[in-house]
Amino acid sequence: MPGHRFWALFIVPFLAAALPSAAVAQQAATPAFESIGQPAAVSVVGHGVVYGEPDVASLELGVTVSDPDVRAAVGRLDESIAAVMAALSDMGVPERSIQTTSFNVWREERFPQDGNRDAVAQFRAQHMLRVELEGARRAGEVLSAAVESGANAIGGITFGFSNSAELAREAREAAFADARAKAEHLAAIAGVSLGAPLTIEDLDPASGPSPMFERAATMMSDSSIATGELAVEARVAVRYRIEAP
């Protein structure tokens, strides 16, 4: 009996001393990324772009007149802009699609070229409109009609989509496929296997894919304006798990 007590007392301290070493050995054999809860991964950014023909257009146009008398300048301007708006109405543009963007009157000093130092005062008045069109192909004929009716100031023209949701979806799909291809290539170079996505992030969450002018394609019948094509882009960041080969 005394001998048995001796061995029991001896073995218990021995096991207590051995346990910490075993725990340390097990921890050393565990990869560091697993011990802190972060699996090995590869992160990539994919880019996708799709093209489509625009179906809406926005025109900036108006009238500028000058006259020595400010009241005459404003009166002529009102008559001219009324004629332009009437022409737009005849082209089928609804009143709700026409909006004044600026109305300005300012004084200019002009000096004669004959050496006379006395400046001649001129008043310049300008009225600019924004015209929204349903049907981008109509932009040329509508612009031509406005110019023929008296518009002599052209601020610009932009094209867009009435609904870009479908193109945006296709762009995101293309971006994700691009991300997957990049990740697979990197995994093959590293000699590992690619696992499931860990995180997926849309890099344009606020505005989404935005239209961007890409190339001209279709010429207008009544002017040199071309609708072209618009590119809708998307970018996604994807983080894939790395699996051991």
Side-chain angles (χ1 to χ4, degrees):
M1 291 298 294
H4 288 287
R5 292 194 190 97
F6 173 80
W7 283 108
L9 293 174
F10 177 79
I11 292 175
V12 170
F14 176 81
L15 291 176
L19 285 175
S21 299
V24 171
Q26 182 179 4
Q27 183 177 5
T30 302
F33 57 81
E34 291 185 3
S35 64
I36 60 176
Q38 294 183 357
V42 57
S43 298
V44 293
V45 175
H47 174 254
V49 57
V50 295
Y51 299 94
E53 184 178 346
D55 59 356
V56 295
S58 178
L59 307 178
E60 288 281 347
L61 56 88
V63 177
T64 300
V65 300
S66 61
D67 197 279
D69 184 84
V70 62
R71 288 172 292 185
V74 173
R76 290 173 52 198
L77 179 64
D78 289 342
E79 293 178 1
S80 297
I81 204 68
V84 172
M85 295 182 70
L88 294 175
S89 178
D90 292 341
M91 293 295 296
V93 180
E95 184 177 351
R96 67 176 183 276
S97 299
I98 305 173
Q99 182 184 38
T100 294
T101 57
S102 65
F103 185 95
N104 298 296
V105 180
W106 65 96
R107 177 188 174 97
E108 292 182 342
E109 300 286 341
R110 295 186 178 181
F111 292 89
Q113 297 181 357
D114 57 2
N116 190 348
R117 295 186 178 182
D118 295 331
V120 177
Q122 287 281 336
F123 291 92
R124 186 176 293 271
Q126 183 182 72
H127 190 161
M128 296 298 293
L129 304 172
R130 177 182 293 114
V131 183
E132 304 291 343
L133 299 178
E134 297 179 0
R137 290 177 176 270
R138 301 187 58 215
E141 59 181 359
V142 170
L143 183 58
S144 296
V147 171
E148 290 176 1
S149 66
N152 59 4
I154 309 299
I157 179 171
T158 57
F159 298 103
F161 302 111
S162 57
N163 184 3
S164 61
E166 178 62 25
L167 291 175
R169 185 183 67 83
E170 294 179 8
R172 284 191 294 270
E173 291 176 352
F176 190 83
D178 181 54
R180 180 75 187 188
K182 290 179 179 178
E184 289 177 345
H185 185 212
L186 293 174
I189 295 174
V192 296
S193 299
L194 200 64
L198 296 172
T199 60
I200 303 174
E201 180 182 1
D202 182 3
L203 296 184
D204 302 298
S207 59
S210 57
M212 176 187 67
F213 182 74
E214 179 63 20
R215 55 179 182 265
T218 306
M219 301 301 293
M220 297 298 176
S221 58
D222 295 322
S223 74
S224 59
I225 296 175
T227 60
E229 286 187 332
L230 296 180
V232 177
E233 296 183 294
R235 295 183 306 143
V236 294
V238 187
R239 186 164 172 264
Y240 291 92
R241 178 188 293 271
I242 290 179
E243 305 288 355

